[in-house]
Amino acid sequence: MIAVLVRNKAHTLPYFLTLLERFDYPKHRISLWIRSDHNEDNTPEILRDWVSSAEKEYDYHSVNLEILSSPPHRIGDETGPAHWTPQRFTHVIQLREEALETARQLWADYVWFMDSDVFITEPGALKELIAKDKVVVAPMLASDGMYSNFWGGMTEEYYYKRTEEYQPIYYREETGCFNVPMIHSSVLVDLRKALSNKLTFVPSKIENYSGPHDDIITFAVGANKSDVSLIVCNDVMYGFIMMPLDQNDQLTADYEQLVNLKVEILSEFDPLPLSESLAKYVQYPEPDTLGLDEIYVINLERRPERRLRMERSLQELGIAAKFVSAVDGR
C-alpha cells in the first residue's frame, strides 16, 4: 500500500503522479491510500481527475481517496500554509496512524509512506527497496540544496544534529545503505516482519516518550526504542525532494522551490517526466527579457542536447531568448 498525504500540492502533483504511474511494479499488487484536506489550490480537482482516469487505465488493487471539502483552509491557529501548529501535527499523526493500521488490516506486505512533493525518478525503486530486506528503509533523495529525507544525527532533545556522516551519504561519496536516526517523506515499512508491529506515529503509544509532538520524530524515536533500524540507501539515484518551507512562507515560495529544483535537475539529469493527461495542470511563466532589449544563447550546432537543456530551463524560468549558432572552432 502506498500512503500519500496531500495539501496544497497542485504544482507538484502532475510530476508526482506521472512518476507513480511509471513504477516498474505490478499495478494489481498496489493499493493506493490518498488523503487530502484544507487545500487553497486545485489539488482536489487534480486528484479526482487522476484517480478517475487511473482506475480505468491501470489495474490497481484498490484506490482509496478521501478529500475534505475546503474551506476551512486551515486547522486551528495556523497563520499560513506552512505554519505547523500542535493541532496540525495531531491531525497528521492521526492520518499517518490510520494509514499504518489500514495497511495492516489489508494484510499488505509493505506500506510506503510518501509525501506528494517527493519525486521518485527511478522506476525500479520499489523493487530495489524491497530487495534490501529491511524493516524500515528509505531511498535517499536529493534537493537543490543539501537537504534530504534523512538525518545524520539527532540531539538528546530529538532534533536535527549536524554530523560528519551526512555529506558523504548525501553526495554519494560512499554508497550503500546506512543506519541513521531519522528518515522521512519516503519511507517503506516491511509489514511481514514482526518488529514492524512496534512502529507507530502516536506519542502516547511509546513508553516514556518525551519528544516533541511531531509525526516523523515520534516514528523515529519509537523505532529506535524498539530496536528497529532506520535505513537510508543511496546505492541508486532514486530521485528528488522539495526543500521545506519556513513557517511564514506562502504558497508562492513553494512554487519557486519547485522551479529551482526542476532547473537543478536539468543540469545533470533528464527533466521530470509529465504525462499528457497531467500536462494541462502545469503552468509556465510568460516569457520576457527581464528588462533587457534582447537575451541571446550562443550554441554549437553539434551540441543539440545543450540547446534542449537551455530551452527547457528558459521555459521554466520564463526567459525569452534568441539562439545564435556558435562559430565552431573545429
Side-chain angles (χ1 to χ4, degrees):
M1 189 182 97
I2 297 177
V4 186
L5 302 184
V6 191
R7 186 199 276 198
N8 293 326
K9 292 298 179 183
H11 50 301
T12 68
L13 275 174
Y15 303 100
F16 174 85
L17 295 171
T18 297
L19 290 164
L20 189 63
E21 293 173 356
R22 296 188 176 199
F23 280 1
D24 178 19
Y25 198 87
K27 296 291 192 293
H28 71 278
R29 300 290 295 167
I30 296 177
S31 288
L32 299 177
W33 186 95
I34 306 170
R35 296 292 183 271
S36 183
D37 53 45
H38 302 92
N39 293 290
E40 302 177 40
D41 60 11
N42 65 329
T43 288
E45 176 190 350
I46 297 173
L47 285 175
R48 291 191 182 100
D49 186 19
W50 183 81
V51 166
S52 176
S53 61
E55 287 179 321
K56 298 174 184 176
E57 188 171 351
Y58 302 109
D59 186 28
Y60 283 109
H61 183 75
S62 64
V63 180
N64 186 332
L65 169 67
E66 286 188 11
I67 299 174
L68 181 69
S69 60
S70 299
H73 294 310
R74 296 171 186 163
I75 301 173
D77 299 328
E78 291 178 29
T79 58
H83 184 199
W84 282 82
T85 63
Q87 298 99 316
R88 182 170 179 178
F89 273 114
T90 296
H91 180 61
V92 170
I93 286 168
Q94 291 171 344
L95 286 174
R96 292 206 192 279
E97 192 73 3
E98 180 188 344
L100 181 58
E101 289 302 323
T102 299
R104 287 168 173 159
Q105 292 166 14
L106 282 175
W107 292 92
D109 292 329
Y110 303 88
V111 57
W112 192 353
F113 296 96
M114 196 183 309
D115 290 349
S116 52
D117 53 6
V118 158
F119 308 112
I120 304 295
T121 54
E122 170 51 54
L126 185 50
K127 291 181 178 178
E128 291 277 355
L129 295 174
I130 287 173
K132 307 305 180 191
D133 195 29
K134 305 294 184 183
V135 182
V136 183
V137 64
M140 196 213 74
L141 304 171
S143 68
D144 62 329
M146 253 181 57
Y147 177 77
S148 187
N149 59 319
F150 75 98
W151 292 2
M154 183 183 286
T155 68
E156 293 182 359
E157 292 77 29
Y158 307 112
Y159 287 106
Y160 180 80
K161 179 182 179 181
R162 290 179 180 270
T163 64
E164 293 182 358
E165 291 79 16
Y166 184 85
Q167 288 196 38
I169 297 174
Y170 180 82
Y171 288 115
R172 303 182 70 229
E173 296 165 1
E174 301 174 12
T175 56
C177 293
F178 306 88
N179 191 346
V180 294
M182 161 72 83
I183 51 179
H184 60 86
S185 299
S186 179
V187 176
L188 183 73
V189 179
D190 188 343
L191 298 175
R192 304 170 307 166
K193 299 186 184 297
L195 276 176
S196 71
N197 293 324
K198 299 182 178 181
L199 298 171
T200 183
F201 292 95
V202 180
S204 61
K205 291 185 177 181
I206 300 173
E207 187 176 355
N208 299 321
Y209 179 77
S210 59
H213 191 59
D214 180 296
D215 54 310
I216 62 174
I217 293 179
T218 300
F219 183 86
V221 172
N224 293 329
K225 284 179 175 285
S226 303
D227 296 321
V228 177
S229 298
L230 301 179
I231 307 297
V232 65
C233 297
N234 68 354
D235 54 323
V236 172
M237 186 59 202
Y238 288 101
F240 304 90
I241 185 171
M242 293 268 286
M243 296 274 285
L245 295 178
D246 291 330
Q247 178 175 308
N248 296 321
D249 284 341
Q250 299 301 311
L251 286 179
T252 51
D254 211 42
Y255 305 156
E256 292 172 5
Q257 292 280 20
L258 178 60
V259 172
N260 292 343
L261 180 60
K262 288 194 288 184
V263 173
E264 182 75 13
I265 290 170
L266 286 171
S267 66
E268 292 187 57
F269 305 97
D270 292 334
L272 292 178
L274 190 59
S275 70
E276 185 176 343
S277 61
L278 290 163
K280 62 185 178 183
Y281 293 113
V282 175
Q283 295 182 340
Y284 300 100
E286 192 68 30
D288 63 48
T289 57
L290 309 180
L292 303 173
D293 294 329
E294 292 288 353
I295 296 175
Y296 298 98
V297 179
I298 305 172
N299 171 248
L300 283 168
E301 292 183 358
R302 59 181 164 84
R303 297 305 302 268
E305 78 286 356
R306 287 189 171 184
R307 174 169 179 148
L308 179 59
R309 187 180 73 196
M310 284 302 301
E311 287 174 340
R312 288 168 171 163
S313 296
L314 293 169
Q315 181 185 36
E316 294 288 352
L317 296 167
I319 297 176
K322 292 183 178 180
F323 281 80
V324 178
S325 295
V327 175
D328 195 329
R330 291 184 179 181

